[in-house]
Amino acid sequence: MIETNRPAAAPADDEPDLLRDQFRQLLRYRRLIGAGIGIGLLGGVYLGISTADTYVATADVVLRAPTDDPFNPSLAPDKAINIGSERQVALSSSIANEAAKKLGVSESGFASLRSGLQVTNPPQTMVLRFTYTASSPKEAAKRANAMTAAYLLKRQESLDATRDKMVKGYKEQRDPIAKQLDEVSKEIARMPAGAGRDAASSSKTDLQSEVGSYNTKITKLEALDMTPGRVTSAATAPPGADGPGILMSLALGAAVGLALGLLAAWVRLVFDPAPRSEGDVARALRAPVLGYLPRDRTGGGPLLAAGEADPRLAEEYRSVAFRLAYDARFADRRRLLVVAPRGSSETAAAVAVNLAASFAETGKDVLLIEADLRTPVLASQLPTDAGGRPRWSQTPGSPAGGGRHSDTEWPDGRQLVVDAGESGTFDLIPGERARNVPRSLTSARATRLISEADSPNSTVVVLAPPVLSYADALALVDRVDGVLVVADPRAVHRTDLTRIRELISGAGGTVLGAVLHAPLPGEKRGKGKGKGGAAPAGPGAGPGTAAKSGKPVPQPQPLPYEVAEPEQHIPGDGTDTVALRTVRMGRR
C-alpha cells in the first residue's frame, strides 16, 4: 500500500510554484485590487485635470564670489559661497518684494507670486535654478526672469554694501595715522640734525608703512570684481503644459492604484484567518488534501453525483475514494468517519454518500451509517429499499428489515438498501432522533455495527455532525480511527482545523485527509450555518425541499419513539424512492 497520510512539506526548490500560489492567493481579493485601481484612476483624472493649464518656465543662474583675479584658481567658489544659504535668500520675501515692484503686482497677489517660485540647486554645481509655475506660458517666463533679476540685484547690492563698509572701516583706521604722520613730518622739518631727528625719522617711517598698508587694502577692495553671477539660461515661454496629460495621468494612476490594491490585498492576506491555500489546510491538519470539489453548476446539486447533472463531481469523488483506498491506515481498518468542522453538514453528507457509492463500485460491501441523530435526513433523500440486515440488532418481535420503528434507542435494526445506479448498491443505517444521543453512539450495538468493517471486503462509512459543534464525532473516533474532514476553506479558520486535529488525535483517531469545497448556494463567505442547519419539513417532505424553498425550515423538537401504526408512512421505507438523477440535497 502507498502511504498518503504524511505531513505536508514543500520541496526546497519549488520557489516558482510558491510565487504562483501566492499570486493566486492575492487574486482572491479582487475587490481590494479593483478598489485600489479605481482610487488610482480617480487620482490620475485629478492629476490630469489639475495640471492641464499649468506651465513651468526655468532660468539658471551661476553664482560667483568677488575676486580681483578671476583666473586665479587658488580660492574655490564653493568655499566662499554657501549655496544653501543663497537658495534660502532666493526664496525670501525681500526677493519677492523686489520682483513684485518690477512686475507691478499688488499686495493681494504677493502671496501667489511667491508661492509659484521654486529654487533648486543641481548637485555639485554653483547653479541656482529658478522654476516658476503659472497658468500661462508667457506669465511663467516673465515672472521667472523677474525673480532671477531681483535676486541678482539684491545680491549685487549686498556685496557692494559689504565692500563699502569694509573700505569705510579701513579709511577710519588710516586717517588718524595719516594725520599723525603729517605732524611728525612737520616736527622733523623744524628739528636740527642729531639723535632726536633720527628717532623722529624712524617713527615717521613706521607711520608711513602703516598708512601704506591701509591704502593697499582699500585699493584691493575697490579693485574687486563684485559681479554676483550671471544668467546662463533665461526663462522662455514653455511650448506646452507641464502636466503629463490625461492619458499618461490615467496610466500612472492605474499603475499606482494597482500597487496600492496589491499591497492592500497582501495585508488582508497576511491577517486573513482562513486557510490561504491547500498547503495551509494540509499543514493545519497534518494530512493531505484528497480533493477539491468543483463548484456545483446545478444550483442545489444531487446528493448522489451520478447521471448527467454534473459528471465532474462523480469523478472527483472517485478520485478521493481511490486515494483513500491506497492509504495504508484506511486499508487496514476500512472504517471512515466523515465530518464537517462546524455549521452545515450538507456537503459532508454528500461526500459520505458518494464515497460509499464509489467504494461499492469497486465491488466492496459498503455500509453507510448516519450517526447524525440530531438532524437525520438521508433516508428521505436517497433512493432506498428495505434491507434485511443486520440481524443481530433487530428487536425481538420486530419484522425483518426494520420496516417499523422500534421503541428502543438507535440503532434499532432498520437497514435500507440505496440504489446508486451504475455504481451498484450499498446499505444505509439511517439516523433516528434519540432521547440520549451520547448513549446511543457509545452503545454496544453501535460498536458492533461499526465493527462490520472487520468482515472481509467490507467498508463502513460513518457520517457524524460537525465536530466543533457537537461532541458526537469524538465519541466515534476511537471506533473508526480514520477521519475525513470536509470543509469550505473560506468559511473555516486555520485555528479551527488545528483544533480539529488536536481533538481527533486526543481521542485516539487519525485525520486521513481533507476534502475541500466551494461555498454552498446562498451562503456567504465566512458565515456557515452555526446552528447545524434545518431539519426536513416532515416525513412527507420531498427531496431537496429545504434547498429549493430558500427559507430555513424550523427544526422539530425531539419526541419519544412510538410504534408506528399500519397506515403511518415511514420515511425511507421504500415507498418514497425517487429517480437517482432528480434527487437534490436538502439543508442539513
Side-chain angles (χ1 to χ4, degrees), residues 284-297:
L285 291 175
R286 296 184 183 175
V289 175
L290 300 178
Y292 201 121
L293 303 182
R295 185 179 296 273
D296 183 29
R297 298 177 299 184

Side-chain angles (χ1 to χ4, degrees), residues 270-541:
V270 169
F271 292 98
D272 189 1
R276 297 186 292 265
S277 64
E278 295 183 7
D280 284 353
V281 176
R283 282 186 288 271
L285 291 175
R286 296 184 183 175
V289 175
L290 300 178
Y292 201 121
L293 303 182
R295 185 179 296 273
D296 183 29
R297 298 177 299 184
T298 61
L303 193 59
L304 270 169
E308 301 176 358
D310 192 353
R312 299 177 305 160
L313 281 172
E315 293 303 323
E316 187 65 26
Y317 285 128
R318 291 188 181 98
S319 176
V320 174
F322 177 81
R323 295 174 186 177
L324 283 173
Y326 279 84
D327 190 309
R329 277 166 286 193
F330 177 74
D332 291 340
R333 302 279 295 184
R334 299 190 306 281
R335 301 171 184 174
L336 181 65
L337 178 66
V338 181
V339 293
R342 62 171 78 249
S344 172
S345 293
E346 180 178 344
T347 307
V351 171
V353 169
N354 285 279
L355 286 182
S358 299
F359 288 133
E361 190 175 6
T362 62
K364 294 184 179 296
D365 296 330
V366 181
L367 177 63
L368 174 60
I369 302 175
E370 185 181 16
D372 187 351
L373 307 184
R374 303 178 189 274
T375 56
V377 294
L378 289 186
S380 61
Q381 295 184 4
L382 292 174
T384 59
D385 194 2
R389 294 183 303 159
R391 300 288 182 182
W392 56 265
S393 63
Q394 293 178 2
T395 303
S398 63
R404 295 291 184 266
H405 289 282
S406 71
D407 56 356
T408 60
E409 293 290 345
W410 182 91
D412 58 1
R414 187 165 62 102
Q415 180 166 325
L416 306 177
V417 177
V418 178
D419 181 10
E422 296 179 356
S423 299
T425 60
F426 59 90
D427 296 333
L428 169 65
I429 303 296
E432 295 289 346
R433 294 184 180 277
R435 289 189 294 267
N436 191 322
V437 174
R439 180 180 299 175
S440 299
L441 293 177
T442 57
S443 64
R445 285 183 295 175
T447 302
R448 291 179 59 192
L449 187 63
I450 296 175
S451 65
E452 287 282 316
D454 294 338
S455 302
N457 201 36
S458 297
T459 300
V460 172
V461 180
V462 182
L463 173 64
V467 66
L468 295 180
S469 299
Y470 305 101
D472 300 356
L474 299 179
L476 299 169
V477 165
D478 60 340
R479 295 165 175 80
V480 177
D481 288 341
V483 180
L484 181 66
V485 180
V486 181
D488 174 11
R490 299 192 179 188
V492 68
H493 293 178
R494 292 189 296 272
T495 54
D496 292 340
L497 297 176
T498 303
R499 185 184 173 196
I500 289 173
R501 172 179 55 80
E502 293 173 350
L503 290 174
I504 293 174
S505 300
T510 302
V511 179
L512 296 180
V515 174
L516 306 181
H517 63 89
L520 296 175
E523 285 188 355
K524 295 183 180 179
R525 177 182 174 180
K527 295 184 179 181
K529 297 177 180 60
K531 296 184 179 181

